[in-house]
Coordinates of all heavy atoms in Angstrom, one line a residue:
V191 N -6.3 10.6 13.1 CA -6.8 9.3 13.7 C -6.7 9.3 15.2 O -5.6 9.2 15.7 CB -6.0 8.1 13.0 CG1 -6.4 6.8 13.7 CG2 -6.1 8.0 11.5
G192 N -7.8 9.8 15.7 CA -7.9 10.1 17.2 C -7.7 11.6 17.3 O -6.9 12.2 16.6
L193 N -8.7 12.2 18.1 CA -8.6 13.7 18.4 C -8.4 13.9 19.8 O -8.9 13.2 20.7 CB -9.8 14.2 17.8 CG -10.2 14.2 16.4 CD1 -11.7 14.8 16.1 CD2 -9.3 14.9 15.5
S194 N -7.7 15.0 20.1 CA -7.5 15.4 21.5 C -8.9 16.1 21.8 O -9.7 16.4 21.0 CB -6.4 16.4 21.6 OG -6.8 17.6 20.9
N195 N -9.1 16.3 23.1 CA -10.3 17.0 23.5 C -10.6 18.3 22.9 O -11.6 18.7 22.5 CB -10.3 17.2 25.1 CG -10.7 16.0 25.8 OD1 -11.4 15.2 25.3 ND2 -10.1 15.9 27.0
A196 N -9.4 19.1 22.8 CA -9.5 20.5 22.1 C -9.9 20.3 20.6 O -10.6 21.1 20.1 CB -8.2 21.1 22.2
E197 N -9.3 19.3 19.9 CA -9.5 19.0 18.5 C -11.0 18.7 18.4 O -11.7 19.1 17.3 CB -8.6 18.0 17.9 CG -7.2 18.5 17.8 CD -6.1 17.4 17.7 OE1 -6.4 16.4 17.9 OE2 -4.9 17.8 17.3
L198 N -11.5 17.8 19.2 CA -12.8 17.3 19.2 C -13.8 18.5 19.2 O -14.7 18.6 18.5 CB -13.1 16.3 20.3 CG -14.3 15.4 20.0 CD1 -14.1 14.5 18.7 CD2 -14.5 14.5 21.2
E199 N -13.6 19.4 20.2 CA -14.3 20.5 20.4 C -14.3 21.5 19.3 O -15.3 22.1 18.8 CB -13.8 21.4 21.7 CG -14.8 22.4 22.1 CD -14.4 22.9 23.5 OE1 -13.7 22.2 24.2 OE2 -14.8 24.1 23.8
R200 N -13.1 21.7 18.6 CA -12.9 22.6 17.5 C -13.7 21.9 16.3 O -14.5 22.7 15.6 CB -11.4 22.5 17.0 CG -11.2 23.4 15.8 CD -9.8 23.5 15.4 NE -9.8 23.9 14.0 CZ -8.7 23.8 13.2 NH1 -7.6 23.2 13.6 NH2 -8.8 24.1 11.9
L201 N -13.7 20.6 16.1 CA -14.4 20.1 14.9 C -15.9 20.3 15.2 O -16.7 20.7 14.2 CB -14.1 18.6 14.9 CG -14.8 17.8 13.8 CD1 -14.0 18.2 12.4 CD2 -14.8 16.4 14.0
A202 N -16.4 20.1 16.4 CA -17.8 20.1 16.6 C -18.3 21.5 16.4 O -19.5 21.8 16.2 CB -18.2 19.7 18.1
N203 N -17.4 22.6 16.5 CA -17.9 24.0 16.4 C -17.5 24.7 15.1 O -17.7 25.8 14.8 CB -17.4 24.8 17.6 CG -18.1 24.4 18.8 OD1 -19.4 24.5 18.8 ND2 -17.4 23.8 19.7
E204 N -16.8 23.9 14.2 CA -16.4 24.4 12.9 C -17.5 24.7 12.0 O -18.4 23.9 11.7 CB -15.5 23.2 12.3 CG -14.4 23.6 11.2 CD -13.5 24.6 11.8 OE1 -12.6 24.2 12.7 OE2 -13.4 25.7 11.2
E205 N -17.5 26.0 11.5 CA -18.6 26.5 10.7 C -18.5 25.9 9.2 O -19.5 25.8 8.6 CB -18.6 27.9 10.6 CG -19.0 28.6 11.9 CD -20.3 28.5 12.4 OE1 -21.3 28.2 11.5 OE2 -20.6 28.8 13.5
D206 N -17.3 25.7 8.7 CA -17.2 25.3 7.3 C -16.7 23.9 7.1 O -16.1 23.7 6.2 CB -16.3 26.3 6.7 CG -14.9 26.3 7.4 OD1 -14.7 25.6 8.4 OD2 -13.9 27.1 6.9
A207 N -17.1 23.1 8.2 CA -16.7 21.7 8.0 C -17.2 21.1 6.7 O -18.4 21.2 6.5 CB -16.9 20.9 9.2
I208 N -16.4 20.2 6.1 CA -17.0 19.5 4.8 C -17.4 18.1 5.2 O -16.8 17.5 6.0 CB -15.8 19.5 3.7 CG1 -15.5 21.0 3.4 CG2 -16.2 18.8 2.5 CD1 -14.2 21.1 2.7
K209 N -18.3 17.6 4.5 CA -18.6 16.1 4.6 C -17.7 15.4 3.7 O -17.7 15.5 2.5 CB -20.1 16.0 4.2 CG -20.6 14.5 4.2 CD -22.1 14.4 3.9 CE -22.6 13.1 3.5 NZ -23.8 13.0 3.0
V210 N -16.7 14.6 4.2 CA -15.7 14.0 3.5 C -15.9 12.6 3.2 O -15.7 11.7 4.0 CB -14.3 14.3 4.2 CG1 -13.1 13.9 3.4 CG2 -14.1 15.7 4.7
G211 N -16.1 12.2 2.0 CA -16.1 10.8 1.5 C -14.9 10.6 0.8 O -14.0 11.5 0.8
P212 N -14.5 9.4 0.3 CA -13.3 9.1 -0.3 C -12.9 10.1 -1.4 O -11.7 10.4 -1.5 CB -13.5 7.6 -0.7 CG -14.5 7.1 0.2 CD -15.4 8.2 0.5
R213 N -13.8 10.4 -2.3 CA -13.3 11.2 -3.4 C -13.1 12.7 -2.9 O -12.5 13.4 -3.8 CB -14.6 11.3 -4.4 CG -15.7 12.2 -3.9 CD -16.6 12.7 -5.2 NE -17.7 13.5 -4.7 CZ -18.6 13.9 -5.4 NH1 -18.7 13.5 -6.6 NH2 -19.7 14.6 -4.9
D214 N -13.4 13.1 -1.7 CA -13.0 14.4 -1.2 C -11.7 14.5 -0.5 O -11.3 15.6 -0.1 CB -14.1 14.8 -0.2 CG -15.6 14.6 -0.9 OD1 -15.8 15.1 -1.9 OD2 -16.5 13.9 -0.2
F215 N -11.0 13.3 -0.3 CA -9.8 13.4 0.5 C -8.8 14.4 -0.2 O -8.3 15.3 0.4 CB -9.2 11.9 0.4 CG -9.6 11.2 1.6 CD1 -10.9 11.0 2.1 CD2 -8.6 10.5 2.5 CE1 -11.2 10.3 3.3 CE2 -8.9 9.8 3.7 CZ -10.2 9.7 4.0
A216 N -8.6 14.2 -1.4 CA -7.5 15.0 -2.1 C -7.9 16.5 -2.0 O -7.1 17.4 -1.9 CB -7.4 14.6 -3.6
N217 N -9.1 16.7 -2.3 CA -9.7 18.2 -2.2 C -9.5 18.8 -0.8 O -8.9 19.9 -0.7 CB -11.3 18.1 -2.5 CG -11.8 19.6 -2.4 OD1 -11.1 20.5 -2.7 ND2 -13.1 19.5 -2.2
V218 N -9.7 18.0 0.2 CA -9.5 18.6 1.5 C -8.0 18.8 1.9 O -7.6 19.7 2.4 CB -10.2 17.7 2.7 CG1 -9.9 18.2 4.1 CG2 -11.7 17.5 2.4
I219 N -7.3 17.9 1.4 CA -5.8 17.8 1.5 C -5.2 19.0 0.9 O -4.4 19.8 1.4 CB -5.2 16.5 1.1 CG1 -5.6 15.4 2.0 CG2 -3.6 16.6 1.1 CD1 -5.3 14.0 1.6
V220 N -5.5 19.2 -0.4 CA -4.8 20.3 -1.1 C -5.3 21.7 -0.8 O -4.6 22.7 -0.9 CB -4.9 20.2 -2.7 CG1 -4.2 19.0 -3.2 CG2 -6.3 20.2 -3.2
N221 N -6.6 21.7 -0.2 CA -7.1 23.1 0.2 C -6.9 23.3 1.7 O -7.3 24.3 2.2 CB -8.6 23.2 -0.2 CG -8.7 23.4 -1.8 OD1 -8.0 24.1 -2.3 ND2 -9.4 22.4 -2.3
G222 N -6.4 22.3 2.4 CA -6.2 22.5 3.9 C -7.5 22.6 4.6 O -7.7 23.4 5.7
G223 N -8.5 21.9 4.2 CA -9.9 22.1 4.8 C -10.1 21.2 6.0 O -9.2 20.4 6.3
N224 N -11.2 21.6 6.6 CA -11.7 20.7 7.8 C -12.8 19.9 7.4 O -13.8 20.3 6.6 CB -12.1 21.7 8.9 CG -11.1 22.5 9.3 OD1 -9.9 22.2 9.5 ND2 -11.3 23.9 9.3
G225 N -13.1 18.7 8.0 CA -14.3 17.9 7.6 C -14.5 16.8 8.5 O -13.5 16.2 9.2
G226 N -15.7 16.3 8.4 CA -16.0 15.1 9.1 C -16.1 14.0 8.1 O -16.6 14.2 7.0
T227 N -15.5 12.9 8.5 CA -15.5 11.7 7.5 C -16.8 10.9 7.6 O -17.3 10.6 8.7 CB -14.3 10.8 7.7 OG1 -14.2 10.5 9.2 CG2 -13.0 11.4 7.3
T228 N -17.4 10.6 6.5 CA -18.5 9.7 6.3 C -18.1 8.2 6.6 O -16.9 8.0 7.0 CB -19.0 9.7 4.9 OG1 -18.0 9.1 4.1 CG2 -19.3 11.1 4.4
V229 N -19.0 7.4 6.6 CA -18.6 5.9 6.8 C -17.5 5.4 5.8 O -16.6 4.9 6.3 CB -19.9 5.0 6.7 CG1 -19.6 3.6 6.6 CG2 -20.8 5.3 7.8
A230 N -17.8 5.8 4.5 CA -16.8 5.5 3.6 C -15.5 6.2 3.8 O -14.4 5.4 3.6 CB -17.3 5.8 2.2
G231 N -15.5 7.3 4.0 CA -14.3 8.2 4.4 C -13.6 7.6 5.6 O -12.2 7.4 5.6
T232 N -14.2 7.2 6.6 CA -13.7 6.8 7.8 C -13.0 5.3 7.6 O -12.0 5.0 8.0 CB -14.7 6.5 9.0 OG1 -15.4 7.9 9.2 CG2 -14.1 6.0 10.2
M233 N -13.8 4.5 6.7 CA -13.2 3.3 6.4 C -11.9 3.3 5.6 O -11.0 2.6 5.8 CB -14.1 2.4 5.5 CG -15.4 1.9 6.3 SD -16.7 1.2 5.4 CE -15.9 -0.5 5.1
L234 N -11.8 4.4 4.6 CA -10.5 4.6 3.9 C -9.4 4.9 4.9 O -8.3 4.4 4.8 CB -10.8 5.7 3.0 CG -9.6 6.1 2.0 CD1 -8.9 4.9 1.3 CD2 -9.9 7.1 1.0
A235 N -9.7 5.7 5.8 CA -8.8 6.1 7.0 C -8.3 4.8 7.7 O -7.2 4.7 8.0 CB -9.2 7.2 7.8
C236 N -9.3 4.0 7.9 CA -8.9 2.8 8.9 C -8.0 1.9 8.0 O -7.2 1.2 8.6 CB -10.2 2.1 9.1 SG -11.2 2.9 10.4
K237 N -8.3 1.9 6.7 CA -7.4 1.1 5.8 C -5.9 1.4 6.0 O -5.1 0.6 6.0 CB -7.8 1.2 4.4 CG -7.1 0.5 3.3 CD -7.9 0.4 2.0 CE -7.0 0.4 0.8 NZ -7.6 0.4 -0.4
H238 N -5.6 2.9 6.1 CA -4.4 3.3 6.2 C -3.8 3.1 7.5 O -2.6 2.8 7.8 CB -4.2 4.9 5.9 CG -4.5 5.0 4.3 ND1 -3.5 4.7 3.5 CD2 -5.4 5.7 3.7 CE1 -4.1 5.1 2.3 NE2 -5.2 5.6 2.4
A239 N -4.7 3.2 8.5 CA -4.2 3.2 10.0 C -4.3 1.7 10.5 O -4.0 1.5 11.7 CB -5.2 4.1 10.9
N240 N -4.8 0.7 9.7 CA -4.9 -0.5 10.0 C -5.8 -0.8 11.3 O -5.5 -1.5 12.2 CB -3.6 -1.3 10.2 CG -3.6 -2.7 10.4 OD1 -4.4 -3.3 9.7 ND2 -2.6 -3.3 11.1

Side-chain angles (χ1 to χ4, degrees):
V191 174
L193 297 176
S194 67
N195 280 330
E197 287 165 343
L198 198 62
E199 190 169 339
R200 180 182 158 197
L201 184 76
N203 291 297
E204 202 60 64
E205 294 291 342
D206 58 357
I208 298 162
K209 176 177 164 186
V210 187
R213 74 161 179 187
D214 310 304
F215 269 47
N217 180 27
V218 181
I219 290 163
V220 299
N221 289 308
N224 305 308
T227 47
T228 64
V229 168
T232 305
M233 290 178 74
L234 179 55
C236 287
K237 178 170 155 177
H238 291 294
N240 194 28

